[in-house]
Amino acid sequence: MCIFLGGTVQQPHPFELLPHTADMAIKVHGATPEELFSNALDGMFACARPLLQQGQQTTETITVAGHTRESLLVNFLSEALYLSDVHNAVYSVKAFDSFSSTALTVTLIGTPITGFDGNEIKAVTYHHLAITQQSDGPWTTTIVFDT
Amino acid sequence: MKNQQLLERIQQELIKIAPATYEIPRSLSPLMRVPARAFLTEELLQHALEDNSLAQLINVATLPGIIKSAYAMPDIHEGYGFPIGGVAAMDINNHGVISPGGIGYDINCGVRLLRLSLSASEIRPYLEKLADRLFDAVPSGVGQGGAITLSYHEMTEILAYGAKALLHKGLGELDDITFCEEQGSLSSANPEKISEKARKRGHDQLGTLGSGNHFLEIQKVEKIFNPVAAQAFGLEQDMVTIMIHCGSRGLGHQTCTDYVARMLPLLDQWRISLPDQELACAPFLSEEGQDYFAAMCASANFAWANRHAIGHAVRTTIHDVISPSINVTTVYDISHNMGKRETHTIDGKTYDLIVHRKGATRAFGPGHPSIIEQYRAVGHPVLIPGTMGTASYVMVGSEKNSAFGSSCHGAGRIMSRMKAKRSIRGSELKSALEAQGIVVRCDSDPGLAEEAPQAYKDIIEVVDAVEQAQLAHKVARLVPLAVIKGG
């Protein structure tokens, strides 16, 4: 379940599930933009409740661009969603090879799955998406997924 | 995240102009190009005020080229960009835009209704076995591939020709095409405008339902309201029907994602300023607008092929389990996430429009030339799936429809999936449905809980609003005998 995973007031949890009438929404936190993106990826797949399969993990290196930081996040998560659909795997960040506000290259670790026990995520949306930083503190955003 | 101040202003400025019809005047916001009109009873209005759907409707009313009004159907609820249950038409010759969000990620999500030459009492002994076999024959659930894996060439054929491509290969019957909106194929489709990613996502998903609120339901005709229209549709009291609700699967979802990403960086170039990024759009006549429309049509063709394939699997299963002599006939297949290029006359002037229907269907009145010949005299069929354990409705478009010939597509959610899973136990819901004599096949208790009737508006209230607003008229009520769905 992608609700609280522990954390203190100073270190908010990576992501939490939010109520949304027709779809799925998460609120994500990160100490840095890279961590925010990494936690968003974990949150997205956690919401879909993957059924992990015994098998070899894979790696996948992708390059994504966006004209804003928000579009970069959406495009990053959308690319991971595409990979998940065609490779029957869920992905997490191994390392960012490069990261700016409009482009990134990242190596992902893929874990095979047999399916999902939760809702099919059709797409990552821009609904209520606004990446903000709390005065030199953590970065945060809400992401709504179409299900 | 409701904008409480805006909601209060909406409540103050809302004007009731007709039965189940409210208008939000342009005076509410200087950015509104047209008023917003919502087809709601007082009870449904209270639901609409509990989320941001009316605020989203106001945003739709700001889009370039929008004409007449932005419309909210009775089942309206918050979406992203457009509300779900939203209708908007843009004047193609007045900088009108096409917006992927106004059609939805699940392009051509829709409903196919089949009728059987069998009564409810005749099918009862076979229901359990039929439900088991259909659960196997029509894959549902998340990430499930289907029985049909397409080669690159086969996918190209389907993107170009839709359900007709499958009929050509011997799958299905001619009437499955005849009684399908657009005969299951939009000629403006261009397979080249579908990305490789979309192709890859869809290549093994033909013949699958998907999850969430997608389902296959065995029903019976419980009540006939309009005997003339029912006869035209071939529906009789106590007749068995089967309803299929699904769309374009990963291919459509990816196509919408691709084009939103393509349009957003170009908004400044077109001098389009949006209150919500999910309203990403392009002038219909621009290269991007035309590419998206061609891709949308191709995705729609994939969805029709999908429902055609599922219909064929249903027919084959019926013949195998019960008897090959049972007629399984398509009543109609209707889309509820679509953009259509249509001609409409407003105040005596004819306009070339791109009509967005997101969570809304066509509902033209009797005599409209777009209605298939066999149904033209009675009007456009409207299929409204209800919630599990309640009822679905067959309606027919009204000659007095004032919303570009549009109607609603379902009951509309009022409870989040999270709340539904927390407050409703799927196992108890299953027991309750089974106590009503409804056979249930679902591989996920949480998935069942999410789709509980309590999570949706009252379908009777929604259908009554459709009648009161003169969008469409009731023809028949269908009640479930068996429900098959994914998680």
Side-chain angles (χ1 to χ4, degrees), chain A residues 37-147:
Chain A
F37 276 49
S38 180
N39 290 340
L41 185 65
D42 291 342
M44 179 174 78
F45 286 122
C47 284
R49 302 200 301 276
L51 300 168
L52 302 181
Q53 186 181 32
Q54 289 288 333
Q56 188 97 12
Q57 286 188 324
T58 58
T59 58
E60 197 84 46
T61 298
I62 60 171
T63 296
V64 176
H67 67 291
T68 61
R69 204 189 296 272
E70 284 77 12
S71 64
L72 181 65
L73 177 59
V74 169
N75 294 344
F76 165 62
L77 295 175
S78 297
E79 185 70 16
L81 194 60
Y82 156 73
L83 290 172
S84 175
D85 210 5
V86 299
H87 295 310
N88 288 322
V90 290
Y91 292 88
S92 58
V93 170
K94 183 179 180 185
F96 284 100
D97 304 318
S98 66
F99 191 100
S100 74
S101 59
T102 56
L104 61 86
T105 298
V106 61
T107 298
L108 302 174
I109 299 172
T111 303
I113 59 172
T114 55
F116 294 94
D117 190 37
N119 290 298
E120 176 183 20
I121 295 176
K122 292 181 178 136
V124 186
T125 80
Y126 284 87
H127 195 49
H128 295 311
L129 181 65
I131 298 173
T132 57
Q133 184 185 16
Q134 299 163 24
S135 49
D136 288 335
W139 294 75
T140 187
T141 188
T142 297
I143 310 168
V144 177
F145 304 108
D146 182 17
T147 59

Side-chain angles (χ1 to χ4, degrees), chain A residues 1 3 17-25 47-49 67-68 70-71 74-75 78-79 81-82 85-86 88 114-128 142 144-147, chain B residues 1 51-52 56 77-81 84 105-106 142-144 197 200-201 205 210-212 214 249-250 253-254 257 260-261 264-265 276-278 413-418 421-422 444 446 450 487:
Chain A
M1 284 297 285
I3 38 180
L17 187 65
L18 299 176
H20 191 278
T21 309
D23 300 293
M24 266 190 327
C47 284
R49 302 200 301 276
H67 67 291
T68 61
E70 284 77 12
S71 64
V74 169
N75 294 344
S78 297
E79 185 70 16
L81 194 60
Y82 156 73
D85 210 5
V86 299
N88 288 322
T114 55
F116 294 94
D117 190 37
N119 290 298
E120 176 183 20
I121 295 176
K122 292 181 178 136
V124 186
T125 80
Y126 284 87
H127 195 49
H128 295 311
T142 297
V144 177
F145 304 108
D146 182 17
T147 59
Chain B
M1 279 173 269
D51 65 18
N52 289 314
Q56 290 184 325
H77 58 278
E78 183 173 339
Y80 23 86
I84 296 168
Y105 285 97
D106 197 353
V142 181
Q144 295 292 307
K197 285 184 192 172
K200 282 182 182 173
R201 285 182 73 176
Q205 292 185 340
S211 66
H214 292 167
R249 306 289 277 108
H253 312 161
Q254 187 68 44
T257 296
V260 168
L264 275 175
D276 184 337
Q277 300 269 278
E278 278 294 323
R413 286 196 80 95
I414 54 172
M415 186 189 294
S416 73
R417 295 181 193 278
M418 198 166 98
K421 281 188 286 193
R422 284 186 177 162
S444 165
E450 286 176 358

Side-chain angles (χ1 to χ4, degrees), chain B residues 6-16 22-29:
Chain B
L6 179 58
L7 282 172
E8 285 167 11
R9 279 203 61 207
I10 290 171
Q11 280 186 278
Q12 285 164 7
E13 306 242 1
L14 212 51
I15 310 162
K16 189 169 183 180
Y22 290 87
E23 185 159 288
I24 302 169
R26 286 182 61 196
S27 56
L28 187 126
S29 167

